Amino acid sequence: MANDKVSKISKRYEIPIGPIHPALKEPIRVEAEVKGEKVVKVDVKRGFAHRGIEYMGMKRNAIQTLYLSERICGICSISHPYAFVLASEKALGIEPPPRAQYIRTIIAELERIHSHILWLGVVAHEIGFDPILFWTWKLREKVLDVLEAITGNRINYAMYMIGGVRRDIKESHILALRDMIDYYRKAADQMKDIFLSDPIYKARTKDVAKLSQDLALKLNIVGPTARAAGLRVDIRQDIPYDAYADIDVRAVVPQDIMGEVNGDAYDATLVRIYEIEQSLDIIEYCINNMPEGKLLAIPNYVALLTTIRKTQGEGIGAHEAPRGEVIHYVKYDGTRDGPVVWKVIAPSYNNINCWGPLLLGAEVADIPVVIAFIDPCLCCNDRIAFVKDENGRVLDYFEIHNMSVNKTMKIKRMLGV
Amino acid sequence: MTLATIFYAIGFPLLGIILGLLYKGIDRKISARMTSRIGPPIRQPFWDVGKLLIKETVVPENAVAWIFNVMPIVALASSMTLLLYIPFGIIKAPLEGYGDLVVILYLLTLQALAMAIGGFSAGSPFASVGAQREMILMMSYEMPLAIVITGFALIYKSFSLSTIALTPVWTLVGPVGWIGLLLLLAALLIVTPAELAKLPFDIAEAETEIAEGLLSEYSGRNLALFYLSDAVRSFAMVALEVALFFPFTFSQGFGLQFSEPVSYIIEGLWFLAKVLILYILAVTLVRTSFARFRIEQASRLFWTYVNIMALLGLILVALEVM
Amino acid sequence: MPTKAMFLMIRQLLQRPFTNPFPVKYAPKNVTKTIEKVKLGQMSINNPIPVPDGFRGKLKYDPERCIGCRLCITVCPANAMEWIPEVRKIRHYVTRCMFCGLCVDVCPGKKLPGETAPVKALSMSKEFLLADYDKYSDNLIVEPTSKEQSLNNQEPSSDQK
Amino acid sequence: MGTPWGEVSVTLKFDVPKSDLVVPTITDLMMGAETNEREIREMLGVEFEGLKNKRHLFLPDDWPEGKYPWRKDEHGVEDMIKYTHKSVTEIRAKRGENNG
């Protein structure tokens, strides 16, 4: 074994990235074979966070499933409910009131701002630029405060409901929103200054993770990653829904800003910073043109559940999440008050496809940048874990817990503590 | 054996450790304030070392155990010896006369080399990649460093640090030499973070890429020794720069005269203050405001720009002196 | 080479830190002693940032107002409510709660004599410091009656949704 | 592309007999479909003709052959999901705590 290792070391190393690694915030495994500093072979293994969440939804009623979908991921905690709500409304034939549609759009855009700023911080951290990570996350507090004021929590907002929203936006919230918009207009300029002009940031991201338009199309890349490669794709533009249908949203692509497209991590930064500004415009439009009216199409939850039990239908809901398009497929069969089939496709599901081709031939130092540049969300991507003992028997939660307690005791005895 | 020898043998390393850790604490605090954080208390590095020392030391299965365990000691010993060559204010260096700038150059290399060998012996892919990177980086920054030291040798016609520290170098050369010296200073300042494995040149320990690289397998006492050697070397390197470029004494600068014991204390504090200012400028500020380079970018930077800068400085200095 | 990031960092050095030092600025040497001191009033801790009006914290339950309609159990996504058939009330597990507030929305409440409108049995408090070592500790379980009463009156039941 | 309503989404539905679950692959046209095809293959047991990479995507590598989690005619939702929630009275009785 040892000799084998030594002979390997002289030529090629295997660098295991994950399931636990400082560059990853969630579990996934990238096995890279490295020759010097060049990656010569790469393999991506997913499924470490597969929780069978769709099955859990099929056991619950629609309202419970909606809030379960919020727990698919904490950062996209509006994107999944949004897509689920859109799909359910299509399946059930419910039209949400106009005011609710505008409020939904505002919340979704607020989430985009915080997610993009979070990404900017993460990518800075991956290249060793921690002070900028702290700075961007400091800027992010403002939007989280506004979200907390409107929805009640900093994350997991519990805002959406099939056929509307649960809470109204009051005058005081609108003041806070206007204040926030001014704050981020200045902050976006600062971010452009710092990220786009920094020599080392440029050196580390230019021509790294370079995705051509053709490859992006072939690999089904979506969201800001595809837009950074110059593809004009954006669900808000292609299949507008809710308030986006009133606003002429256009995909932000680097060729409109810089005049050329590289499709690298630098362009991805560019696209995300300009999308923050675009979101601010959308929020401003929404609060200026907010219609009056009620918030829920069916205000009583019990009535809603009864309607669902009586309705047959299926629907696909697509929402442009901060990371790309998230698609929910829901089918109601008129026998139970929850979905019989529920399938989630998160943006990272498609975006991880590009890791293989991009990592091949890249440098070891570029691995974190390639991994981070699509803004992977593995809890969205993976959604049954079985643990077996040596006889192949499936262990349940309590047995595993007891085993770990016993092991701790054994180690303690061994050490004589 | 005199009392002074005992002081230099025991007191000086102890002082070195305390100063190194203190400066590390100040560095962490200021870096935290630059990023709008409160940061750890200044005594935190002492606690870190204390905690590491009582932790279990693990030697990986694939490691060559004796090399793996010896290298931290070599690293700390070389840093300590380095400290003994640096004049402390107007107090002469303890090892005065037993070596000169060339020995210092070797001692600086030895510490980095010890870390690289330790990394290779750990038998982990992360540590091996880290060690490779460290070697490449070392090859890159040694050249400018050597040029700077040659420049000083040209001016003083001697490699002795005490001679250099006695007369400020700026008084020995004319305007052309000044430009040359400034270029050498700039080159040395760029080499400093690389020498100390700090951002933007902490490529060998890149946390997000290779999980602390060289140090990934080290734990407990061994890690504590590396931590200490890093703290001591940071102090020594900056102190060396102060001795080379800013040896102005307090009494010279302000035209004051003190009696014997008082002047020792004041000059000592003055020296520490100078080191602190340079430490904050050359280490803290730089490591807070730059991202990490890729290894080939770093070595290109050193081989082309920094080398040209240092060589130009050397030529200017040589023109002046010859 | 000075970059924009460097100026930003120097500017931040002159500003106050952004961190809210809650509960104390630096981690104390002995946490348990510090907590005891705080309880005795010998030490003060920094206050947390105030929470907004709509904040959803630990669930408050008023068994007096509960009519036993089980609507909260129907909508709760996390199955945090347990039905106790003996007293026709619910027991709430804070550790399972996901703080969505659906149960509060759906709760019909009860009109006590002399009131004009029904008042809900469930409401969201602003309490958020809920960390505990034991997920079945007393302050993480909202009982319908006092502990002695509810547990003495009934057999351990495994009936749950 | 690039205009509102400029994108058309297409849904294709196939009815395949359970005895002969084979569908031709589209990975030669669209590389990115590999992920979806691999998922459907491991979850439903539909074979894709011409699919090159047949490793499991989400399920572990030692997942038993011939077991497909998404086939609802073989096992229902109840089989797949178990509640581990227990009542506090049960937990306290198990721990031997004094109840009350």
Side-chain angles (χ1 to χ4, degrees):
Chain A
M1 185 67 194
N3 280 334
D4 193 35
K5 275 247 161 69
V6 171
S7 67
K8 245 187 196 166
I9 279 168
S10 56
K11 281 174 283 176
R12 284 174 165 199
Y13 302 88
E14 258 184 34
I15 293 205
I17 309 264
I20 312 292
H21 188 272
L24 300 163
K25 309 293 166 272
E26 292 162 284
I28 195 165
R29 190 175 170 88
V30 177
E31 282 171 358
E33 243 183 72
V34 176
K35 203 172 168 188
E37 283 272 325
K38 277 243 170 342
V39 179
V40 289
K41 203 175 150 195
V42 67
D43 191 9
V44 180
K45 286 183 176 163
R46 322 183 183 189
F48 288 94
H50 197 262
R51 293 162 288 173
I53 206 162
E54 286 144 334
Y55 257 101
M56 286 159 75
M58 292 172 214
K59 197 175 171 153
R60 286 166 161 80
N61 65 40
I63 293 178
Q64 287 175 325
T65 313
L66 171 60
Y67 286 87
L68 190 68
S69 75
E70 195 167 292
R71 265 69 187 173
I72 290 177
C73 168
I75 306 293
C76 339
S77 68
I78 271 310
S79 315
H80 287 281
Y82 208 156
F84 184 85
V85 160
L86 288 171
S88 298
E89 280 163 5
K90 265 184 209 163
L92 303 167
I94 303 172
E95 174 77 18
R99 191 178 173 83
Q101 294 189 1
Y102 272 71
I103 293 175
R104 278 188 197 173
T105 305
I106 290 174
I107 304 290
E109 290 307 317
L110 284 174
E111 191 195 57
R112 188 180 323 278
I113 292 173
H114 100 70
S115 178
H116 279 352
I117 295 178
L118 181 135
W119 180 85
L120 287 167
V122 168
V123 84
H125 166 70
E126 302 292 6
I127 61 167
F129 214 163
D130 285 352
I132 292 294
L133 163 80
F134 302 135
W135 176 67
T136 47
W137 285 37
K138 185 178 115 188
L139 294 179
R140 182 174 165 252
E141 284 302 306
K142 187 89 180 171
V143 64
L144 289 179
D145 284 349
V146 171
L147 276 167
E148 194 185 12
I150 296 174
T151 67
N153 273 13
R154 279 161 61 90
I155 217 91
N156 290 340
Y157 313 111
M159 190 72 177
Y160 290 8
M161 180 50 68
I162 299 168
V165 288
R166 288 173 56 196
R167 291 180 201 87
D168 200 0
I169 289 188
K170 300 189 191 81
E171 273 306 311
S172 61
H173 298 154
I174 288 177
L175 282 178
L177 278 168
R178 289 199 195 279
D179 178 42
M180 184 207 79
I181 291 170
D182 289 343
Y183 180 83
Y184 280 114
R185 287 216 198 279
K186 284 192 201 101
D189 285 339
Q190 252 179 334
M191 276 190 263
K192 277 181 213 161
D193 252 14
I194 286 180
F195 278 93
L196 302 178
S197 71
D198 193 82
I200 303 189
Y201 189 80
K202 246 185 199 164
R204 286 301 302 272
T205 50
K206 273 260 181 211
D207 292 327
V208 173
K210 204 169 169 169
L211 193 64
S212 68
Q213 245 180 66
D214 187 43
L215 195 64
L217 261 180
K218 270 190 185 161
L219 291 171
N220 307 350
I221 308 298
V222 292
T225 318
R227 292 196 282 273
L231 292 174
R232 292 177 193 274
V233 285
D234 193 321
I235 298 281
R236 296 173 295 170
Q237 161 202 295
D238 299 334
I239 319 167
Y241 47 96
D242 286 0
Y244 295 120
D246 302 347
I247 311 159
D248 192 21
V249 183
R250 289 303 169 97
V252 176
V253 282
Q255 59 259 46
D256 294 351
I257 305 163
M258 303 288 278
E260 53 168 1
V261 154
N262 271 321
D264 48 19
Y266 184 80
D267 280 3
T269 321
L270 197 81
V271 165
R272 282 187 168 94
I273 296 178
Y274 278 87
E275 275 188 17
I276 294 174
E277 293 195 320
Q278 187 192 28
S279 295
L280 293 172
D281 291 342
I282 296 175
I283 296 171
E284 203 161 30
Y285 178 90
C286 287
I287 52 180
N288 288 337
N289 298 290
M290 190 129 76
E292 290 299 317
K294 49 179 199 164
L295 295 175
L296 283 163
I298 307 172
N300 192 331
Y301 297 165
V302 184
L304 178 67
L305 285 177
T306 326
T307 321
I308 293 170
R309 196 176 285 127
K310 282 187 286 196
T311 321
Q312 272 192 9
E314 54 184 340
I316 293 177
H319 165 61
E320 180 74 20
R323 297 177 159 87
E325 54 189 69
V326 48
I327 294 173
H328 279 226
Y329 167 77
V330 179
K331 185 177 179 182
Y332 296 103
D333 66 351
T335 55
R336 54 184 298 267
D337 51 6
V340 279
V341 178
W342 176 36
K343 175 82 185 91
V344 178
I345 293 185
S348 298
Y349 183 91
N350 288 320
N351 280 349
I352 291 177
N353 289 343
C354 74
W355 284 3
L358 286 181
L359 283 176
L360 209 61
E363 295 213 11
V364 177
D366 293 338
I367 296 178
V369 180
V370 172
I371 287 178
F373 113 103
I374 64 158
D375 201 358
C377 180
L378 305 172
C379 49
C380 294
N381 168 45
D382 305 350
R383 269 145 285 113
I384 283 171
F386 280 89
V387 183
K388 294 179 189 162
D389 66 359
E390 54 269 36
N391 306 325
R393 198 169 57 88
V394 175
L395 302 174
D396 74 353
Y397 162 74
F398 288 97
E399 281 172 278
I400 295 170
H401 179 77
N402 281 339
M403 276 166 79
S404 37
V405 169
N406 291 340
K407 184 153 185 195
T408 313
M409 302 283 252
K410 206 172 99 190
I411 293 170
K412 270 189 178 172
R413 269 201 306 278
M414 264 167 60
L415 292 171
V417 180
Chain B
M1 198 148 110
T2 57
L3 205 67
T5 326
I6 295 171
F7 170 73
Y8 287 139
I10 301 165
F12 228 74
L14 210 65
L15 192 69
I17 288 176
I18 292 172
L19 281 174
L21 292 177
L22 183 73
Y23 276 55
K24 215 179 168 84
I26 297 173
D27 162 59
R28 282 172 67 175
K29 187 81 187 173
I30 289 178
S31 172
R33 291 300 291 265
M34 277 182 187
T35 51
S36 282
R37 291 178 294 130
I38 292 174
I42 288 172
R43 58 187 181 278
Q44 188 66 41
F46 293 91
W47 289 1
D48 288 352
V49 170
K51 187 163 182 178
L52 281 174
L53 283 174
I54 55 171
K55 290 263 180 187
E56 187 191 5
T57 307
V58 180
V59 179
E61 236 171 79
N62 291 325
V64 188
W66 70 272
I67 301 181
F68 186 80
N69 286 326
V70 158
M71 281 309 149
I73 301 170
V74 173
L76 183 59
S78 66
S79 304
M80 288 291 187
T81 326
L82 184 60
L83 207 61
L84 295 178
Y85 277 102
I86 290 162
F88 193 90
I90 53 169
I91 307 172
K92 282 190 170 160
L95 284 180
E96 167 77 55
Y98 293 94
D100 48 30
L101 271 175
V102 179
V103 178
I104 292 174
L105 195 62
Y106 272 107
L107 284 169
L108 277 172
T109 318
L110 189 61
Q111 206 259 4
L113 203 63
M115 281 181 81
I117 295 171
F120 275 126
S121 69
S124 133
F126 289 130
S128 305
V129 171
Q132 280 179 354
R133 288 177 170 194
E134 178 76 41
M135 299 297 283
I136 297 171
L137 198 61
M138 242 165 70
M139 282 185 250
S140 316
Y141 68 67
E142 281 312 316
M143 177 84 173
L145 196 61
I147 294 174
V148 172
I149 287 175
T150 320
F152 274 85
L154 273 177
I155 296 172
Y156 288 95
K157 309 275 186 284
S158 148
F159 277 115
S160 163
L161 196 56
S162 298
T163 326
I164 292 170
L166 271 181
T167 359
V169 64
W170 309 93
T171 57
L172 289 176
V173 290
V176 182
W178 269 56
I179 300 168
L181 277 174
L182 279 175
L183 285 171
L184 288 181
L185 176 63
L188 190 61
L189 286 178
I190 298 174
V191 170
T192 313
E195 182 68 58
L196 303 177
K198 294 271 176 2
L199 275 164
F201 300 108
D202 69 335
I203 308 164
E205 289 159 30
E207 167 220 352
T208 48
E209 294 156 22
I210 47 173
E212 290 297 336
L214 288 175
L215 299 175
S216 58
E217 297 296 335
Y218 277 103
S219 58
R221 187 179 53 86
N222 285 339
L223 187 59
L225 290 178
F226 270 135
Y227 191 92
L228 279 177
S229 84
D230 175 51
V232 172
R233 191 169 61 145
S234 304
F235 179 78
M237 180 79 191
V238 179
L240 176 70
E241 277 163 24
V242 169
L244 284 177
F245 284 96
F246 311 103
F248 309 102
T249 53
F250 192 77
S251 48
Q252 277 173 352
F254 297 90
L256 299 168
Q257 285 298 324
F258 301 102
S259 55
E260 265 294 284
V262 180
S263 84
Y264 274 112
I265 296 171
I266 287 188
E267 292 300 337
L269 289 174
W270 171 241
F271 175 73
L272 285 180
K274 279 190 292 185
V275 174
L276 183 64
I277 291 168
L278 196 62
Y279 198 104
I280 293 169
L281 288 177
V283 179
T284 317
L285 185 62
V286 169
R287 87 180 173 96
T288 317
S289 42
F290 287 106
R292 190 183 300 118
F293 274 112
R294 273 205 302 264
I295 184 69
E296 102 278 352
Q297 287 166 346
S299 72
R300 199 182 305 134
L301 179 82
F302 280 117
W303 276 113
T304 53
Y305 302 111
V306 182
N307 249 342
I308 290 170
M309 197 151 78
L311 274 172
L312 207 64
L314 183 69
I315 292 166
L316 288 177
V317 167
L319 280 176
E320 180 80 8
V321 176
M322 303 244 173
Chain C
M1 183 171 43
T3 56
K4 286 193 169 136
M6 195 183 265
F7 291 123
L8 174 77
M9 295 308 151
I10 294 170
R11 207 160 57 233
Q12 288 192 16
L13 179 65
L14 305 173
Q15 292 165 353
R16 290 183 50 169
F18 191 72
T19 323
N20 180 37
F22 171 77
V24 280
K25 194 172 173 196
Y26 295 128
K29 221 170 184 175
N30 190 327
V31 178
T32 35
K33 264 190 191 160
T34 313
I35 295 170
E36 274 168 21
K37 266 190 183 169
V38 171
K39 273 185 185 159
L40 290 171
Q42 291 168 345
M43 227 181 105
S44 64
I45 53 168
N46 298 320
N47 286 325
I49 292 173
V51 294
D53 282 341
F55 186 79
R56 306 189 298 275
K58 186 183 171 183
L59 194 67
K60 260 203 302 221
Y61 177 51
D62 181 4
E64 291 277 296
R65 306 247 181 211
C66 180
I67 55 170
C69 63
R70 298 177 67 163
L71 275 176
C72 47
I73 297 177
T74 317
V75 295
C76 182
N79 296 324
M81 313 282 183
E82 187 189 2
W83 177 245
I84 312 174
E86 292 83 359
V87 287
R88 298 192 60 75
K89 302 276 179 230
I90 57 156
R91 179 186 285 137
H92 175 68
Y93 294 89
V94 179
T95 42
R96 293 174 197 167
C97 182
M98 56 201 256
F99 306 98
C100 62
L102 275 172
C103 46
V104 178
D105 279 12
V106 84
C107 183
K110 190 179 185 179
K111 204 156 68 171
L112 290 181
E115 282 172 348
T116 47
V119 176
K120 293 187 177 196
L122 293 166
S123 60
M124 286 293 194
S125 70
K126 292 195 173 176
E127 201 183 331
F128 62 88
L129 294 171
L130 302 169
D132 203 307
Y133 289 110
D134 179 11
K135 65 176 182 175
Y136 293 105
S137 76
D138 287 338
N139 65 333
L140 293 183
I141 293 168
V142 182
E143 295 279 356
T145 45
S146 70
K147 200 182 162 196
E148 287 76 23
Q149 265 180 309
S150 75
L151 291 169
N152 285 340
N153 290 351
Q154 53 164 317
E155 293 294 301
S157 76
S158 57
D159 172 77
Q160 52 182 310
K161 169 90 177 60
Chain D
M1 235 159 66
T3 50
W5 300 103
E7 203 179 83
V8 182
S9 78
V10 182
T11 314
L12 291 180
K13 262 189 172 180
F14 289 102
D15 286 336
V16 184
K18 204 181 167 185
S19 54
D20 180 34
L21 290 170
V22 182
V23 171
T25 181
I26 57 163
T27 46
D28 46 344
L29 299 170
M30 204 165 83
M31 278 152 74
E34 189 190 297
T35 323
N36 306 52
E37 290 184 3
R38 273 167 65 190
E39 190 184 4
I40 294 171
R41 186 180 169 270
E42 67 174 2
M43 296 289 188
L44 279 172
V46 177
E47 278 300 329
F48 285 90
E49 226 167 35
L51 180 63
K52 290 193 189 82
N53 189 348
K54 294 194 174 180
R55 223 189 47 227
H56 281 300
L57 184 67
F58 289 132
L59 299 179
D61 287 338
D62 57 348
W63 186 262
E65 281 289 315
K67 251 194 150 174
Y68 302 104
W70 281 3
R71 288 192 183 176
K72 285 203 194 131
D73 53 336
E74 288 175 7
H75 33 73
V77 178
E78 300 294 323
D79 279 6
M80 305 301 292
I81 303 292
K82 286 191 178 65
Y83 285 127
T84 48
H85 285 180
K86 287 202 166 103
S87 175
V88 62
T89 46
E90 207 179 322
I91 297 282
R92 286 194 174 152
K94 200 174 166 187
R95 285 191 196 164
E97 272 177 31
N98 182 18
N99 287 339

